[in-house]
Amino acid sequence: MAKPNYSGTYHMVEQENMDSYLGALDVNFALRKIVCLLKPTKEVTHDPATGTMKIRTLTTFKNFNMDFTIGKEFTEDLGPVDGRVCQTTVDWDGDKLVCVQRGEKEGRGWTHWLEGDKLHLEMRVQGIKAKQVFKKAN
């Protein structure tokens, strides 16, 4: 069965528990408050044939770029997020993209999935979960 194509531009419409998630990553109080006010846009370029994916998270404060090939481990510099480096793998679990980020923080990673015109993102670290929902731009 063919995997979904995640390509598109998505604007955040919902966010839950981000402050607690960032706290578990040891992000300082002031930066957590700023991040929780941001309304990021995600630009996703996905080639299902090769498994290559680029995710650009764009805000008025900081941007974050993630380029990877699905199923291949890579070194991810999370400096813009929390100053850490992880060994990261993104792979399919059915139609969902599941990311495992091995490093200083236990149980770190995220899951992306599509429901209609919405891109869901669940982020995890040390048993704490945050969620964002993005709506695809027309």
Side-chain angles (χ1 to χ4, degrees):
M1 184 168 153
K3 298 295 182 190
N5 187 335
Y6 279 67
S7 293
T9 299
Y10 304 86
H11 302 290
M12 191 178 79
V13 293
E14 292 176 41
Q15 179 167 271
E16 297 172 14
N17 208 35
M18 184 59 81
D19 188 67
S20 295
Y21 170 78
L22 294 171
L25 289 172
D26 305 318
V27 173
N28 74 59
F29 178 82
L31 185 55
R32 288 196 323 259
K33 296 306 169 195
I34 292 168
V35 170
C36 289
L37 293 173
L38 298 174
K39 302 289 185 214
T41 294
K42 286 199 179 277
E43 293 178 350
V44 180
T45 306
H46 175 204
D47 183 346
T50 64
T52 58
M53 185 170 275
K54 295 178 182 184
I55 301 174
R56 308 277 175 257
T57 304
L58 310 171
T59 73
T60 55
F61 182 65
K62 281 186 180 178
N63 297 331
F64 181 71
N65 299 325
M66 184 178 185
D67 297 0
F68 58 93
T69 300
I70 296 168
K72 293 189 179 178
E73 185 176 74
F74 63 99
T75 300
E76 182 178 12
D77 180 1
L78 293 163
V81 180
D82 67 353
R84 293 185 172 89
V85 174
C86 294
Q87 288 305 115
T88 300
T89 305
V90 180
D91 218 333
W92 292 108
D93 180 5
D95 285 347
K96 294 181 177 183
L97 284 171
V98 178
C99 173
V100 175
Q101 296 166 314
R102 292 185 298 107
E104 292 176 35
K105 293 289 186 174
E106 193 68 30
R108 186 172 186 173
W110 51 258
T111 301
H112 263 308
W113 69 95
L114 295 169
E115 286 181 8
D117 66 349
K118 291 192 176 154
L119 174 69
H120 293 259
L121 171 61
E122 178 187 89
M123 296 161 281
R124 302 172 294 280
V125 66
Q126 296 181 321
I128 294 174
K129 294 180 182 178
K131 185 170 182 195
Q132 293 178 327
V133 179
F134 298 81
K135 187 171 178 13
K136 193 168 190 174
N138 293 334

